[in-house]
Amino acid sequence: MSFEWPWQYNFPPFFTLQPNVDTRQKQLAAWCSLALSYCRHHKLYTLDIMEVQESPVFNHKNIDRKLSTEAILIVFEELRKKGNLEWLDKNKTQCLVMWRRPEEWGKLIYQWVSRSAMVNSCNTFPPEFHGLEEWMLIRSLQALQTDGKAEVITMDDGKGVKFF
Amino acid sequence: MDRFTWSNGLLEMNETLVIQQRGVKLYDGEDKECCIAIPLSQIIYFEEQAAGIGKSAKIVVHLHASPANKEPGPYQQSKFSYFKLSFKEHGQIEFFRRLTEELSQKRWESTPMSQPIPTATNSQTGRTRAVGIVGIERKIEERRKETEKNISEAFEDLSKLMVKAKEMVELSRSIANKIKDKQGDITEDETIRFKSYLLSMGIANPVTRETHGSGTHYHLQLAKQLGDILLAPLEERGGMMALTEVYCLVNRARGMELLSPEDLVNACKMFESLKQPLRSVCVCVIEESAELFLFDFLLLEAVTDKGSLTAEEFAKLLGLSVLLSKERLLLAEKMGHLCRDDSVEGLRFYPNLFNSQA
C-alpha cells in the first residue's frame, strides 16, 4: 500500500514556518501527524537529521518546497514533547521515533500476552510486532512495569519478563 | 421713611463724628426730602447706585423695622424701608467706605447706650473697590455668594432631572399597576411615552422586540458610521478590539447622544451584511468572543480568486502602493485569514487553509 499524503503536503505554505501563532499550531500538528504516519508506514524507528532533510517527507520536489532545518527541529521538539521522539545525542543529530508510544506498545503486548495465555498455544508474534526493535520492546515492557502489569527479570542468559 | 427722629445736629455723649459730607440729599424711599438723624444700628445693609445722566450717585440704605420705643420723627409712617442718599457734589465713595467700616466695627454695641434691637450680623457690602482688611473681607464674601449661586444653579438642573425622573417613576408605576390588575388597556400615549423614556436611557424596547438578524435602518446607518470611526483604531490595535473597548471609544468620540451597548452590538452585526466594503476594508463581529475583527473583503476575494498573491501582484491589481499592499497582506495574516509561502521565488500569501480545512 502506498503512502497517502495529506492535503497539506501539496500546499506550499506548509513548508514555511508560519508566524501567526494560531496558524503555526495547526501547521505543527499536521507536521507531527505526517511525520509519525510516514515513519509508521515505513517502519522507521531511528532518524538522522541530515538524512531526513532530503527524505520526501520534508523535501517535496514536485512543488519545489522543503522544510528548513530550523523548522524540522521545531517539529521534532513538538514530537518530543508529546512523547513520540527521543534524542539519542546532545547535538540532536539522531533520534528515536516512537510512532507508537511505549505505553501504547505495552498495552498491545499485554493484550497479546493475555490472549495467548488463554489460548495456550504456540505463540508467534503477530504481524504488528514485526520489526519492533529491541530497544522499543524494552521501553514498552518498562512502561508495563511502571503500570504494575509486568516485571523485567535479569537472568543468567539475558532478560526475561513476567506478566501479572 | 418713619425711622428718623428729630435731632439738633449736635453730637450726643456717646457719639463721635465719623464723617461729614456736604451736598448729600436725603430721599425718603423715592421721595426727595430733607435731613434727619438715624442710628447706624438700624441699618441692615446698604448699596451703591451708580450715577447716570442727570442722576447723581446714590447710596441706598436698607433698614430694620422701626423700634417700638423710637422717638418721634418727621414721619410716623412710610411705605419704604429704605432711604437713599443722593450725592450732588460727589464724595459717595468715601462715605460708602466709612459707612462700611462703621457697620463692620459696630462701635455702638460696645457702648452703654447701644440699641436693644439686634443688628444685622451679616452686613452686606456693595461691590466697589476697597483697600485694607475690609476689602479682603468683602472679596471673600463675594466669592462665597458666587459659589452659592453656582451650587444652587447646579442643583436647579438636578431638581429638573428629579422632576423628570419622578414623572417616569409615576408612569412606570401606573403601567405596572395596570398590567398587574389587568385593568383597562395601557393607552397609546402612555406606551409611546414609556418607550421614549426607555430609549433615552438606552434600554432596548421590550415591547416590540425586533429580531437581531433583521436590524433596522438606523442600525445600518450606524454601522456605516462606525466603520469609518473604527478603521484607524482597529488597524492600530492589530485588527482586533474587544467590543467593550469599541463601546468606550465610540461613545467618547460621540460626546453626546451616546450609544447603548445594544445599539452597538446590533450595528456591528450589520457589518456582516454590508457586503459592500467601506473604503475597501470592513469589520465583522465574532459573536462568541464579542470582539470586532477587521476583515479585508477585497483582499480575501482577490487572493481566493488568484489562488495566491504577492504584495506586488496585489498592489498592481488594486492600484495600491506596494507598501500599503504589503501592510494589508500582513494584517490579514495577523488576523489568521492568510498564510505565507516563503521561498526562493519570493513571499506569497495564500488563503489560510490550515484554519478552514479540517
Side-chain angles (χ1 to χ4, degrees):
Chain A
M1 192 170 71
S2 66
F3 184 69
E4 265 182 48
W5 297 102
W7 68 265
Q8 288 98 332
Y9 188 63
N10 290 301
F11 189 48
F14 193 46
F15 294 85
T16 305
L17 193 62
Q18 295 300 316
N20 181 310
V21 171
D22 294 323
T23 314
R24 181 185 292 205
Q25 254 177 13
K26 296 199 169 79
Q27 179 192 25
L28 289 177
W31 269 116
C32 288
S33 168
L34 172 56
L36 288 180
S37 54
Y38 186 81
C39 289
R40 182 188 290 125
H41 191 262
H42 293 102
K43 299 269 194 281
L44 303 172
Y45 292 96
T46 327
L47 295 177
D48 180 281
I49 292 292
M50 286 297 129
E51 282 174 22
V52 107
Q53 270 181 76
E54 297 308 315
S55 97
V57 187
F58 299 114
N59 187 354
H60 192 171
K61 292 210 160 76
N62 281 0
I63 62 169
D64 200 15
R65 295 285 186 275
K66 63 195 277 194
L67 204 61
S68 67
T69 316
E70 181 208 357
I72 293 174
L73 285 172
I74 291 176
V75 173
F76 280 16
E77 175 57 20
E78 282 302 297
L79 285 169
R80 189 197 65 79
K81 279 197 261 186
K82 295 203 306 193
N84 293 107
L85 187 140
E86 219 178 87
W87 288 111
L88 284 172
D89 64 325
K90 234 191 325 213
N91 297 327
K92 296 192 181 172
T93 58
Q94 295 209 328
C95 62
L96 297 176
V97 174
M98 294 168 276
W99 37 268
R100 204 172 257 154
R101 292 196 335 269
E103 296 77 19
E104 290 162 340
W105 276 120
K107 204 170 165 188
L108 274 178
I109 290 168
Y110 193 79
Q111 281 171 0
W112 169 71
V113 165
S114 322
R115 256 198 334 263
S116 50
M118 281 170 36
V119 169
N120 210 18
S121 60
C122 185
N123 306 309
T124 51
F125 281 109
E128 61 224 48
F129 292 115
H130 288 170
L132 181 62
E133 294 181 2
E134 194 183 312
W135 62 266
M136 187 75 240
L137 177 63
I138 291 173
R139 273 181 220 246
S140 317
L141 294 173
Q142 277 170 349
L144 277 177
Q145 186 165 269
T146 316
D147 234 6
K149 293 200 158 79
E151 196 185 317
V152 178
I153 314 162
T154 320
M155 304 186 300
D156 294 330
D157 54 346
K159 290 199 201 311
V161 58
K162 203 158 117 184
F163 293 96
F164 303 114
Chain B
M1 186 32 60
D2 50 355
R3 317 289 202 275
F4 287 127
T5 57
W6 287 119
S7 167
N8 57 12
L10 298 171
L11 293 172
E12 302 287 327
M13 277 232 300
N14 51 322
E15 287 173 4
T16 50
L17 177 65
V18 178
I19 183 170
Q20 219 171 24
Q21 176 63 44
R22 290 171 52 81
V24 179
K25 203 158 169 167
L26 181 66
Y27 290 70
D28 172 16
E30 293 306 316
D31 297 340
K32 304 184 184 183
E33 284 307 327
C34 55
C35 72
I36 319 97
I38 186 157
L40 289 176
S41 54
Q42 282 266 271
I43 300 177
I44 302 174
Y45 83 98
F46 58 95
E47 59 194 344
E48 264 201 344
Q49 218 172 57
I53 301 169
K55 286 199 275 189
S56 34
K58 297 180 179 59
I59 292 179
V60 185
V61 185
H62 296 257
L63 304 159
H64 284 291
S66 189
N69 60 347
K70 181 185 139 331
E71 293 179 64
Y75 293 90
Q76 285 310 111
Q77 272 154 341
S78 162
K79 58 182 192 273
F80 300 106
S81 54
Y82 66 94
F83 67 88
K84 291 191 187 179
L85 299 171
S86 176
F87 290 80
K88 296 270 172 233
E89 288 172 23
H90 307 289
Q92 74 276 10
I93 292 172
E94 186 59 19
F95 202 100
F96 190 97
R97 188 177 76 74
R98 298 307 289 274
L99 199 51
T100 311
E101 258 180 45
E102 288 308 309
L103 274 180
S104 55
Q105 283 175 24
K106 295 195 179 66
R107 287 193 277 169
W108 62 88
E109 281 184 354
S110 50
T111 62
M113 292 286 280
S114 59
Q115 296 273 355
I117 307 159
T119 52
T121 46
N122 222 5
S123 321
Q124 302 210 1
T125 59
R127 276 198 308 266
T128 51
R129 221 172 22 87
V131 298
I133 298 171
V134 175
I136 296 171
E137 277 183 353
R138 196 182 295 160
K139 282 208 174 68
I140 295 172
E141 181 62 28
E142 272 173 37
R143 218 174 292 146
R144 189 192 65 79
K145 277 208 282 184
E146 192 67 37
T147 312
E148 221 177 80
K149 194 167 111 182
N150 288 338
I151 293 174
S152 55
E153 270 176 17
F155 275 111
E156 250 178 57
D157 290 339
L158 193 65
S159 52
K160 282 189 195 136
L161 183 68
M162 302 269 282
V163 168
K164 257 268 126 86
K166 209 171 160 192
E167 274 176 33
M168 256 184 69
V169 169
E170 277 177 27
L171 178 63
S172 66
R173 207 171 280 158
S174 105
I175 291 179
N177 285 336
K178 282 193 185 172
I179 293 170
K180 195 171 78 167
D181 304 341
K182 292 196 175 82
Q183 208 179 69
D185 291 314
I186 302 168
T187 65
E188 174 87 40
D189 179 49
E190 275 177 337
T191 313
I192 291 172
R193 275 170 65 201
F194 193 57
K195 277 193 211 180
S196 72
Y197 280 141
L198 289 177
L199 266 168
S200 68
M201 289 208 299
I203 298 170
N205 192 335
V207 179
T208 57
R209 202 166 254 307
E210 280 141 30
T211 57
H212 287 301
S214 56
T216 62
H217 181 70
Y218 165 67
H219 288 134
L220 202 69
Q221 290 302 105
L222 195 56
K224 291 202 179 129
Q225 252 178 46
L226 289 180
D228 284 333
I229 301 173
L230 293 170
L231 203 54
L234 264 174
E235 284 193 47
E236 249 172 67
R237 288 160 178 76
M240 257 201 294
M241 265 171 84
L243 266 181
T244 47
E245 205 184 338
V246 174
Y247 176 75
C248 293
L249 207 104
V250 165
N251 277 329
R252 204 180 302 139
R254 291 184 126 215
M256 7 184 257
E257 286 178 15
L258 305 184
L259 283 185
S260 71
E262 230 114 3
D263 277 335
L264 179 67
V265 172
N266 289 332
C268 286
K269 287 178 181 170
M270 295 270 93
F271 284 136
E272 293 173 37
S273 65
L274 279 173
K275 287 297 171 197
Q276 194 70 338
L278 318 154
R279 289 167 48 199
S280 88
V281 187
C282 205
V283 293
C284 79
V285 179
I286 309 297
E287 180 124 37
E288 304 82 44
S289 56
E291 280 182 325
L292 212 60
F293 282 75
L294 202 58
F295 208 81
D296 201 335
F297 275 130
L298 272 185
L299 171 58
L300 292 177
E301 237 174 11
V303 174
T304 315
D305 190 38
K306 302 278 180 206
S308 70
L309 283 178
T310 63
E312 291 79 12
E313 288 167 358
F314 185 49
K316 203 166 171 192
L317 205 66
L318 253 60
L320 301 167
S321 69
V322 176
L323 197 67
L324 187 62
S325 150
K326 185 113 190 252
E327 255 180 53
R328 280 170 68 165
L329 287 164
L330 290 174
L331 188 59
E333 181 190 41
K334 207 169 175 186
M335 299 306 303
H337 302 142
L338 296 180
C339 58
R340 65 168 63 190
D341 167 41
D342 207 349
S343 68
V344 290
E345 293 167 18
L347 180 62
R348 289 192 151 270
F349 289 89
Y350 286 73
N352 190 352
L353 298 181
F354 294 110
N355 271 351
S356 49
Q357 308 246 130

